[in-house]
Structures are given as C-alpha cells and as structure tokens.
Amino acid sequence: MRLCQTPGASCGACCGLYNGRDLGRSALRSELSRRTRALARVPRTPEAFRAAAAALAAGAPEPLFPSVRICPLLGFLDAGETRVGCLAHPLATGGVDLRDCGAYDVATCDAFLCPSHAWLSPDEAALLDRALAGDFHLYGLVVTDVPFLRAVLAAVAARTGAKVEQRHLDEARFRAALRRLLALKEELAPGSEGLFGAFRPGRDGEPVPRRIDYGALGAAASPYDEILTCVGADPRSGNDLEALEEEVARRLDGAAAAFPRPAPR
Ligand code: SF4
Ligand code: SF4
C-alpha cells in the first residue's frame, strides 16, 4: 500500500510540510492554501511554475531544519482542502509533469518512498488509514513515526489483552479514543521536537536521536517511555514529562474503556 495518498488520508511530510516553527493546524493550512491559490492562476509551463515556486518560497515561513528542503508546490488537491498533495504532478496539472520546478526533480519525487513503506505492515497501514481518515495533519505526523504508532497500539493491547485490529475501528467510540491517543502528537508545547518522532534538530540542522535521561531528571523510567520519547516528553524539549505521562495514561485508559468487547454468550 502506498502511504502518501490512501483511500482516506494523505501525507506531505517528505515535501517539507512539517519543517517549520509553527506546526499547528491553522499555520499549515494557511501556508498550503496560500500556495494552492497562487498556483491555481499559474500557466502550466516549466517557466511559469519555476517563477511561481521561487516567489512562494521567498514568502514562506522559516524552516526548522535548514538542511531539509521545503517544496512550495505542495498544496491542497481538493476544493474542500482535505487532501494534501503535489500540485505539480501530472494528475494535478491535467497532464504536464512540473515536478522539476519544485525542491527536487521528477526522478527524485517519483522514486522516493519514506522508510515507513518498508516498516509498516499492510495491516498497520490500513488501520492507520481508517483511524485518521480525512485528517492529513495528524496522519502525516503518525505515518512517519512507526515506533510511535507501534508503541501506542502495543500499549492499548497491553491494557485490553487483545491486539487492535481494523474491525475494532467499526466502533465509533473506540475510533475516537484511538484518534485522541494518536493526537498526543499535536498537543505538545509550541516548537516541541516530539512532532518529529524520536529525533531533534542538531546544531547543523541534521536530525539527532533523542532519549529521555531519567537519571539526570532524578525520575524512574516511565512504563510509557517509548511513547513519551516519540512525543518529545523530555522536559528539555519544552514539554512537561509528568503531565504528559499522566495524559498518556489517561488517554490509554480512555481507549481501553472504549475497546469493543465481544458480547457475553
Ligand atoms: S513522508 Fe512517506 S508517506 Fe509521506 S508523502 Fe513522503 S513518502 Fe509518502
Ligand atoms: S514537486 Fe516533489 S517535493 Fe514538490 S510537492 Fe511535488 S512531490 Fe513533493
């Protein structure tokens, strides 16, 4: 299953969607809208698209990781602004391939598949697609952080005694509770590094693996360490470890309580 455009969800992470200081929904939406509106008026020629891409890049918010490119040709594919995607792709332009005008070139854009394609099983991918259908903002944050998704699913299974399966998402209450748990990703301190999984930006802009140094904090390791590391709960990343740990436990309890149980015989 290709994870970028699925029946329910879409992702623009590798086109630089989250490479900014303000990763809130409204900031990302407004930047994507700005690009989409601007590109809608541009003739479908390489010259015009290149000039438009340069103008859009000049007016874009500052990147968080300077070494990671941000493509100004990522925008909304639909009028309702629910699906994020490449506005230079032949399917979006009506035939001509203008991806050479973006941050990379056609060959790179065509060939690139992020590591989640190799790591996520078809079941995990389908489950995530269903759980976060229609929510490109959260989907992109989670689909690119396989350890976070696995840690969350394993923690729910540990509480319920049963593996989370797609059929469990038929239950709207459980679907909402699982979504709330995954949404830990977007409720972190402003500028938090947890949005990028277990990495933080190094001095040269390259990602550096993170870990929570419980020893230095004088705290015992959390039973939710993997989830907390993925969401950047280390206080030095700008978050409150204790408060986040309580929030993880609260949301796990909520998911376990909403987990569909077989009817008694
Ligand atoms: S980060 Fe992965 S899933 Fe997202 S658009 Fe890129 S290749 Fe696709
Ligand atoms: S041109 Fe390439 S990098 Fe830019 S939005 Fe399209 S696929 Fe992403």
Side-chain angles (χ1 to χ4, degrees):
M1 178 173 180
R2 186 131 184 165
L3 303 170
C4 321
Q5 297 289 333
T6 65
S10 57
C11 174
C14 62
C15 306
L17 179 60
Y18 303 108
N19 188 13
R21 295 198 177 273
D22 184 351
L23 299 169
R25 278 171 188 266
S26 77
L28 294 196
R29 279 198 160 278
S30 119
E31 175 61 8
L32 290 166
S33 270
R34 180 180 82 93
R35 296 177 195 164
T36 309
R37 282 194 311 272
L39 290 169
R41 301 187 296 266
V42 175
R44 270 52 187 146
T45 65
E47 299 72 29
F49 247 61
R50 222 167 246 126
L56 281 167
E62 237 187 276
L64 183 59
F65 292 95
S67 63
V68 176
R69 297 183 201 182
I70 299 174
C71 185
L73 303 183
L74 182 76
F76 285 118
L77 296 178
D78 60 328
E81 301 195 337
T82 62
R83 193 171 276 278
V84 69
C86 177
L87 297 175
H89 190 282
L91 289 175
T93 63
V96 54
D97 196 334
L98 295 166
R99 288 176 290 175
D100 272 339
C101 309
Y104 302 97
D105 54 37
V106 173
T108 308
C109 294
D110 230 18
F112 182 77
L113 285 179
C114 68
S116 299
H117 284 86
W119 293 343
L120 272 185
S121 71
D123 267 359
E124 288 168 327
L127 193 134
L128 186 61
D129 178 34
R130 178 103 196 270
L132 299 183
D135 186 348
F136 75 86
H137 183 262
L138 184 53
Y139 176 80
L141 290 172
V142 179
V143 77
T144 48
D145 192 352
V146 177
F148 172 71
L149 176 64
R150 289 210 175 128
V152 163
L153 295 178
V156 174
R159 268 198 173 40
T160 60
K163 184 178 171 211
V164 181
E165 294 173 11
Q166 282 188 63
R167 65 190 166 89
H168 296 131
L169 296 176
D170 292 343
E171 179 66 50
R173 206 163 75 91
F174 177 65
R175 212 167 53 237
L178 182 62
R179 197 204 159 282
R180 187 160 156 66
L181 190 49
L182 296 170
L184 280 164
K185 273 278 184 193
E186 52 181 331
E187 290 171 30
L188 304 170
S192 167
E193 298 154 0
L195 291 153
F196 300 103
F199 297 94
R200 64 181 170 77
R203 277 200 200 107
D204 55 358
E206 290 298 323
V208 175
R210 281 187 287 112
R211 69 181 181 85
I212 300 174
D213 190 348
Y214 294 99
L217 297 167
S222 169
Y224 313 120
D225 175 65
E226 212 173 335
I227 296 178
L228 290 168
T229 302
C230 288
V231 298
D234 189 315
R236 289 166 300 185
S237 80
N239 287 292
D240 180 331
L241 175 60
E242 222 170 292
L244 258 174
E245 188 177 21
E246 280 169 18
E247 196 55 39
V248 169
R250 212 177 351 259
R251 293 187 194 198
L252 273 171
D253 287 342
F259 191 73
R261 309 272 167 197
R265 292 176 185 227

